[in-house]
Every structure is written in structure tokens, then in C-alpha cells.
Amino acid sequence: MKVRFWGTRGSLPVSLTAHDVRVKLVEAIGLAAKAIEQGQSLMARDQVEAFVDGLDFALAGTFGGHSSCVEIMADGAGHVLCDLGTGVRPYGAQMLRDAGGTPQTYHVFMSHPHWDHIMGFPFFTPAYIPGNRIIIHGCHDELEAAFRRQHAAPSFPVDFSALAASIEFRLLSPNQVYEIAGFNVTAQKQLHEGDSYGWRFERAGKSVVYSTDSEHKLGEADTIARAVAFFRDADLVIFDAMYSLADAISVKADWGHSSNIMGVRLCREAGVGTLCLFHHEPVHGDARLAAILAETERFELATRDGTQLGEEVQPLRVLAAWDGLVLTV
């Protein structure tokens, strides 16, 4: 299985500003000047590329700004997406290039119909092309109404009825295994305003959990246990880590999101292989997100202690999602 992140931000999309780019350029050029002083040549393009590749990701790249959209891939499986944030626009453009005009079927699994998770759909070009089929799976009764309302005046100039592709909405039940697009798929209800649902995808002995817009309260043992059971032995958990633990249990309690620290705790208890921080806070720039990742790695290392149980605790790999990241599971 492979996972490609097309959008990783929470609440609303963001973009780098001119100021942000300038700060990166000034710092990078300063580091280049020091490298030249130390005898490093940057005259040839390959030398420059090697220098850039050696810079910290937060300086040489960006975590990106599209809102939630994640692709789940496997050989012989269908096209599978989680959520339709603004990241679905570049996904659609790529699919048009790859398909070469051949009609495709897309399976979409919705965590919930809040705006940041559906706002990319009006710009999903395959929805306007006859022959394409888009099946939107979810556990919310009002799912179809939310999509139609978004396309209606005065919110958008193209009415939902004008979409030329075949659009279907399928209501699924949580805690039930479905065989869809080559995957075994299970949904689980999560704590979020209006409810959200996490999705677990299994195929050929591998498993990926997409769990965003979910709050995990420290004192609620039953809720914690349900999450651990849902994550159990997953190869990858894509986890809502929008807030710090301090914010999640104080000023932003009941806001429906979780923290990097809670992600480590749950994934450690569940025996997860890789934790991927997701649904990034839109006010956090690249440097701040890189610092959160480093903090999470330090916490994972500091709490990796199984001596009291007389057993070795396997390391939990920790990553932070960025637009364009591809992971192999």
C-alpha cells in the first residue's frame, strides 16, 4: 500500500506569503555564503541542488497549505480518497493526466462534512467530465445535502445538477467491515462537533488508519480504549495533531481536535508502526511545524521504556505530513 498526501491542513487552507518566502531565501543564502567561505563550490547546478538537499526541510521546502485530502493506493485496487479538502484539486489534475481521457471510478471516504473537508469538491475536475463515477461514502445522514448546498447559489456559480459525472452517496454503518475498491474498510465514530468518523483500510496484511478531527480526552478511559482498539497493530495512523497537549486540555478543550502527545500515547498502546501528524494548525508556519515534529520525536524517545514490563518496546516512527508526501506501507 502507498499513501499520498494532497492536503494536510486543518480548518482552512493557507499559503506561503511573500514575507515567508523572503525569510527562507535570506537564511538559505546566508548558509550558502558560509559554505562558500569554507571552500564549498556552488558554481554548478548539481552542487547547488546538493546544497539545497542538505538544508532542513522547513527551510528548503514547505509542509504546504491545502486542506485535508489523502489518497490510499495499492496495486490492483481502485482510486480511494479520504476527504475532499482543497488538496483534491491538484489530485484531480494529476488524475486527468494519468487517465488520458479514460473514465475512472473514484471512491471517497468522508470523515465529516465540515467545510474544510468538502470545499475542494467544486474544483475537482473529474466531477465535470461525463463517464467518470464518484462514489462518496460516509456515515452522516446529511452528507449529500452538505455537498448540494455547497454547490448551490449564492455559494457557488455551478449548481450540483450541472456535474456531468455520475455522483453517488452511500451511507455506511460504523464498526462494520465493507469490501470496497479492493480494501476492507471500517469506520469508527469519533468525538467532534457533529461527529466525525475515522477510517481503517486493510489489504494484504497491511493496514492504514485515517483519523482526523477527533478529540481524545485524558480522563475518558472508555474512549481511549476504543481508539486504541481501532488503531491496533496498524502500519500507519494518520492522526489529528492540531493542538499542543496543553491547549487540547485547557483553552481548546471540546474543540474537537487532539495533540501530538496523545497521538504518541495512543499509537504506542496500540502497537502502531508509524504515526503521521496531520490536520496542521493553519497559524503554524513551517518552522513551527518542524519544531512540533522534533518535540514529538523527543517525547517518543523519552517514553520508550519497557523495562518495567520486562520487555522491549518497539520504536514508534513519527512523521509530519506535508502536501506531496508519499509513504509506502
Side-chain angles (χ1 to χ4, degrees):
M1 294 172 65
K2 289 187 176 181
V3 177
R4 185 189 301 270
F5 294 86
W6 293 92
T8 60
R9 290 282 178 172
S11 297
L12 75 164
V14 295
S15 64
L16 288 174
T17 65
H19 171 75
D20 297 331
V21 174
R22 185 177 185 277
V23 169
K24 288 175 180 281
L25 286 173
V26 169
E27 184 173 350
I29 292 171
L31 292 173
K34 289 182 180 179
I36 292 171
E37 288 178 357
Q38 295 170 0
Q40 184 175 346
S41 175
L42 295 178
M43 296 298 293
R45 182 180 181 86
D46 61 336
Q47 294 172 332
V48 175
E49 290 179 347
F51 171 79
V52 171
D53 289 342
L55 295 175
D56 290 341
F57 176 80
L59 178 58
T62 180
F63 287 92
H66 281 300
S67 63
S68 303
C69 184
V70 177
E71 179 185 8
I72 312 291
M73 301 170 282
D75 291 340
H79 301 305
V80 170
L81 286 175
C82 294
D83 283 335
L84 293 166
T86 58
V88 79
R89 185 196 60 79
Y91 167 79
Q94 182 63 55
M95 287 305 304
L96 291 182
R97 291 190 290 269
D98 292 345
T102 303
Q104 303 291 312
T105 296
Y106 301 90
H107 290 270
V108 180
F109 295 86
M110 295 299 305
S111 63
H112 63 312
H114 281 174
W115 187 36
D116 53 321
H117 293 257
I118 67 172
M119 65 195 306
F121 186 66
F123 303 94
F124 182 46
T125 308
Y128 295 85
I129 299 176
N132 285 328
R133 185 183 181 198
I134 302 170
I135 305 171
I136 301 175
H137 307 270
C139 301
H140 289 83
D141 292 335
E142 66 273 21
L143 191 63
E144 181 173 355
F147 277 84
R148 290 184 176 277
R149 182 171 60 246
Q150 179 177 231
H151 263 277
S155 299
F156 197 72
V158 180
D159 190 77
F160 191 91
S161 62
L163 299 179
S166 170
I167 314 293
E168 305 170 35
F169 292 88
R170 292 186 180 176
L171 187 64
L172 305 183
S173 299
N175 307 314
Q176 180 174 331
V177 180
Y178 295 88
E179 294 184 12
I180 302 173
F183 296 91
N184 288 333
V185 184
T186 310
Q188 179 167 286
K189 188 176 180 179
Q190 303 176 137
L191 179 61
H192 191 75
E193 180 63 35
D195 297 333
S196 75
Y197 291 85
W199 295 94
R200 183 176 177 121
F201 300 87
E202 299 179 334
R203 180 182 172 90
K206 298 292 184 178
S207 54
V208 172
V209 173
Y210 177 79
S211 177
T212 189
D213 292 69
S214 180
E215 186 169 0
H216 303 277
K217 294 181 178 293
L218 288 172
E220 297 185 358
D222 290 345
T223 302
I224 297 296
R226 287 181 63 251
V228 169
F230 190 59
F231 293 177
R232 177 67 64 195
D233 296 328
D235 296 281
L236 170 66
V237 170
I238 302 164
F239 186 81
D240 178 347
M242 191 170 183
Y243 302 144
S244 68
L245 179 62
D247 283 346
I249 64 175
S250 58
V251 295
K252 296 182 179 179
D254 301 321
W255 285 26
H257 299 284
S258 195
S259 69
N260 56 334
I261 302 303
M262 183 58 75
V264 171
R265 174 185 170 180
L266 295 177
C267 288
R268 169 75 50 63
E269 291 187 28
V272 170
T274 299
L275 163 65
C276 191
L277 309 180
F278 183 75
H279 206 266
H280 303 311
E281 167 66 63
V283 303
H284 289 163
D286 291 316
R288 176 60 182 144
L289 291 176
I292 291 171
L293 173 58
E295 170 191 282
T296 311
E297 292 172 327
R298 289 193 298 270
F299 178 77
E300 189 280 329
L301 179 60
T303 56
R304 192 192 304 164
D305 182 5
T307 56
Q308 297 179 17
L309 301 176
E311 62 184 23
E312 181 181 355
V313 175
Q314 293 298 316
L316 170 66
R317 183 188 183 201
V318 179
L319 302 171
W322 46 273
D323 296 4
L325 173 64
V326 178
L327 298 177
T328 299
V329 176

